[in-house]
Amino acid sequence: MNPPATPDRLPDDGTASAPARRTAAGRLNEREIVAAALRIAGKAGFGGLSMRGLADELGVTPMAIYYHVRHKKALLELVADSLLADIRLPGRDTGDWMARLRMLHEESTRVLGPYPGADAMMIDLGLTRQGRRLMDAYIQILLDAGFDERGALLAYNVLHSYGVGRVTIESRLRGRPRRAAVSEGDFPALDRIRDAVPGLRASDYRTFGYEAILQGLGDLLEARRPNVSEIR
């Protein structure tokens, strides 16, 4: 037996009247829609998110969703901004520019990591308001570090590309069994590192890569600073 319909939920047998459907749409709100979309994305990735699946998750008809969001792109923009708004931005008093970039990277990983495909979805969408907030924070840190406008933009793109790549790799490998390293015989360098593989985790790769980029950016800044002896 189907549960009784409530003002914001419909019976499962498709017998809800038009007034009931309008009431369901009116009682639903954007916060509930975004929360349900994130539940689906956390299980199936953003590729598995559809308007009909979202309606089923909420126990309403698809038209109740469309009452609040015009189309799927509008839904994804709401979801993207909801996620990005949760990323805390480090202030100038939290450390030097490298420390601030580390904090921002860790925050982004914390927020986006549980949702497979979030990075690809946001690239397809383009910059949302919260995306601009995050980009602005990255570039401000790089300007504070001493990069000029062109250098800050180029440095940001290096950091962003690495961050997106790592999130993509980790989300796609999550849950897969780790393959045992097998000695090939013909590849001595691979044989040499074979025993190191089991002890490495995703965070090890992520941290090493980010530190390598930060060190490289620091070296670039140092190389561009005027030599005191030359000024004299």
Side-chain angles (χ1 to χ4, degrees):
M1 178 181 295
N2 291 321
T6 62
D8 57 346
R9 295 293 182 269
L10 305 181
D12 296 333
D13 57 7
T15 60
S17 65
R21 295 174 196 277
R22 286 195 294 272
T23 302
R27 289 292 298 273
L28 200 60
N29 59 58
E30 285 186 359
R31 182 176 297 179
E32 286 182 297
I33 292 171
V34 169
L38 287 174
R39 287 196 298 272
I40 295 172
K43 298 173 188 174
F46 282 95
L49 177 62
S50 68
M51 300 298 266
R52 181 169 293 280
L54 181 59
D56 290 342
E57 175 74 15
L58 288 163
V60 299
T61 66
M63 288 308 298
I65 306 294
Y66 285 113
Y67 181 85
H68 294 276
V69 290
R70 293 170 297 167
H71 39 64
K72 187 175 179 180
K73 183 179 179 182
L75 168 66
L76 292 177
E77 287 173 349
L78 283 174
V79 172
D81 270 351
S82 175
L83 278 175
L84 295 176
D86 196 34
I87 296 175
R88 298 175 297 234
L89 307 183
R92 287 189 173 95
D93 60 344
T94 57
D96 63 15
W97 68 274
M98 284 192 182
R100 290 161 64 196
L101 284 176
R102 288 187 192 101
M103 292 178 194
L104 200 46
H105 176 64
E106 290 166 4
E107 269 292 287
S108 299
T109 301
R110 176 187 68 83
V111 171
L112 301 180
Y115 300 100
D119 50 322
M121 179 268 288
M122 291 179 187
I123 289 173
D124 289 341
L125 280 180
L127 278 177
T128 62
R129 178 170 181 78
Q130 289 297 325
R132 289 185 174 87
R133 180 185 75 106
L134 188 59
M135 182 178 179
D136 183 78
Y138 269 104
I139 291 179
Q140 185 60 62
I141 293 172
L142 292 163
L143 291 170
D144 291 345
F147 284 99
D148 60 17
E149 290 80 0
R150 181 176 183 272
L153 180 57
L154 291 172
Y156 164 76
N157 275 277
V158 171
L159 292 166
H160 182 256
S161 297
Y162 176 75
V164 167
R166 278 307 319 169
V167 170
T168 300
I169 291 170
E170 291 175 21
S171 67
R172 292 187 178 180
L173 293 181
R174 187 178 292 116
R176 291 188 190 179
R178 299 188 71 172
R179 295 181 179 179
V182 178
S183 177
E184 296 285 351
D186 295 334
F187 306 104
L190 294 181
D191 284 342
R192 185 172 174 180
I193 67 169
R194 179 163 52 93
D195 292 339
V197 173
L200 290 172
R201 297 292 178 264
S203 59
D204 298 318
Y205 293 102
R206 188 189 318 127
T207 300
F208 182 88
Y210 209 73
E211 288 300 316
I213 292 172
L214 291 182
Q215 184 62 52
L217 292 177
D219 290 346
L220 276 176
L221 274 177
E222 194 62 34
R224 292 179 181 181
R225 287 196 176 98
N227 190 304
V228 176
S229 62
E230 291 178 358
I231 295 175
R232 292 175 181 172

